[in-house]
Amino acid sequence: MKSLRTVFLAALALPLVLAAKPLRIGFAQTGAESAWRTANSESMKSEATKRGIELKFSDAQGKQENQIRAVRSFITQGVDAIVIAPIVETGWDPVLREAKRAKIPVILTDRNIATADESLFACFIGSDFYEEGRMAADWLAKHTGGKGSIVELQGTPGSAPANERRKAFADALKNYPDLKIIDSQSGNFERSGGKQVMEAFLKKHGKAIQIVYAHNDDMALGAAQAIEEAGLKPGKDIVIVSIDAICEAVKAVADGRLNCTVECNPLFGPKVYDTVAKILAGESVPKKAFNKDELFDATNAATALPTRQY
Ligand code: GYE
């Protein structure tokens, strides 16, 4: 049995130990497929360092099973909170139930999930992908007079941004019967994927292609390269619209090589950690919080460039 004195000393020391213990947060990142992703990882890491948070960062290399494994390992390590950027929308319930049983709050960032049980996560923080797709389609309708043949470069199959950007765009096109998607394939959100798929599209459809709608800038930039290699001028012979607004794409818009990019802000490290702190303090947080996104085209890209942060 412990002596009274030991118990007394231990009780005195406890608040000190608790105060000194840094927050431990596990972050299951998708991978490193795009410049957007690099900026997102950097924001999460640098903000953790700034706040003295011990961040356990896992790169799933584009595979959901790796992400699930990372979440399980965070549970075993007994972290204070788990942050996930879910690669795909489905298949999360079992591992989220394990986190719930272990009483570890889960914050979804960037991409949402499809689940019938929303009690399995504390909240979602990210962009409204449907709204981004709608903005891209509206811009296109306005700048083409509602006419043209489109090829679509989709993001990672099954991912929330690919699903929603595709759906929003298709829904908006219903109002413009002469704007048509003639082909659509996944380039996996990667530059090399965008280039390869565009090369195949050019071989198959040749001069019939008037417009490229890419679900992200990396694929749009890859497609621009394929168009140049085919002896055509991206941004002129073929209109290119995409999403993310990474620096390189905003610059390409200013240079006339791309025509429009809808912003999707990846710098939400501060918002994520503020939210984690609130949850751990027992405060309530909104179930879904969306970042506000802008659109860049020839009218504002050059002016915006100096202040772009990613
Ligand atoms: O648009 C793309 C990235 O989930 C919003 O994933 C993110 C998307 C982003 O690879 O570049």
Side-chain angles (χ1 to χ4, degrees):
M1 240 199 25
K2 285 186 190 137
S3 74
L4 257 183
R5 189 169 166 267
T6 324
V7 172
F8 180 64
L9 285 179
L12 269 186
L14 196 63
L16 288 178
V17 172
L18 284 180
K21 207 176 125 229
L23 261 191
R24 292 161 74 233
I25 299 178
F27 177 32
Q29 178 61 294
T30 62
E33 70 279 2
S34 65
W36 187 98
R37 189 64 54 196
T38 308
N40 178 246
S41 294
E42 179 45 36
S43 169
M44 292 290 289
K45 286 179 185 171
S46 61
E47 192 62 24
T49 308
K50 215 159 114 190
R51 297 182 184 213
I53 291 169
E54 188 185 323
L55 183 69
K56 298 175 181 300
F57 181 92
S58 157
D59 173 336
Q61 303 187 324
K63 294 206 175 73
Q64 185 183 30
E65 64 260 35
N66 290 346
Q67 247 184 336
I68 290 175
R69 208 173 303 130
V71 173
R72 288 221 165 95
S73 128
F74 296 150
I75 296 172
T76 313
Q77 293 172 64
V79 295
D80 298 299
I82 296 173
V83 180
I84 312 175
I87 294 175
V88 290
E89 287 191 278
T90 54
W92 290 101
D93 285 21
V95 76
L96 293 186
R97 256 182 247 125
E98 290 168 35
K100 194 176 175 185
R101 268 200 298 275
K103 298 197 167 50
I104 301 175
V106 171
I107 292 89
L108 303 177
T109 58
D110 164 26
R111 301 179 179 178
N112 212 336
I113 60 168
T115 177
D117 183 0
E118 299 234 321
S119 78
L120 292 177
F121 61 93
C123 63
F124 166 80
I125 299 168
S127 282
D128 184 342
F129 301 138
Y130 190 89
E131 176 60 11
E132 293 167 350
R134 189 199 60 77
M135 283 165 81
D138 280 359
W139 183 93
L140 194 63
K142 212 189 270 161
H143 288 80
T144 56
K147 276 197 183 66
S149 298
I150 308 165
V151 290
E152 179 182 42
L153 298 170
Q154 297 177 38
T156 303
S159 69
N163 290 345
E164 287 174 43
R165 288 169 185 172
R166 180 168 160 72
K167 183 165 190 313
F169 199 81
D171 285 350
L173 290 198
K174 286 178 193 149
N175 300 319
Y176 305 97
D178 295 327
L179 262 181
K180 286 197 185 81
I181 297 181
I182 58 168
D183 217 333
S184 179
Q185 245 185 65
S186 173
N188 230 5
F189 281 132
E190 290 167 356
R191 196 168 296 214
S192 58
K195 183 164 186 274
Q196 274 164 28
V197 174
M198 192 62 206
E199 283 166 357
F201 282 163
L202 285 164
K203 264 203 201 106
K204 190 167 156 199
H205 304 286
K207 290 236 152 59
I209 302 171
Q210 296 166 309
I211 298 154
V212 173
Y213 168 45
H215 289 186
N216 82 342
D217 287 341
D218 279 80
M219 293 190 296
L221 290 163
Q225 208 182 324
I227 292 168
E228 275 155 0
E229 286 172 15
L232 297 167
K233 279 206 160 53
K236 301 200 174 58
D237 298 323
I238 297 180
V239 170
I240 307 178
V241 294
S242 72
I243 298 173
D244 273 359
I246 58 170
C247 276
E248 197 183 340
V250 177
K251 174 147 196 330
V253 172
D255 294 344
R257 199 167 164 252
L258 300 184
N259 302 85
C260 157
T261 179
V262 177
E263 185 182 42
C264 179
N265 196 322
L267 309 177
F268 39 75
K271 201 162 165 184
V272 167
Y273 299 131
D274 282 351
T275 307
V276 169
K278 280 191 185 149
I279 292 168
L280 294 177
E283 292 171 35
S284 72
V285 297
K287 194 75 187 186
K288 281 180 192 160
F290 293 116
N291 304 325
K292 182 134 184 48
D293 294 321
E294 292 178 58
L295 181 148
F296 299 99
D297 66 6
T299 63
N300 61 352
T303 331
L305 206 50
T307 54
R308 296 300 296 156
Q309 284 182 294
Y310 63 94

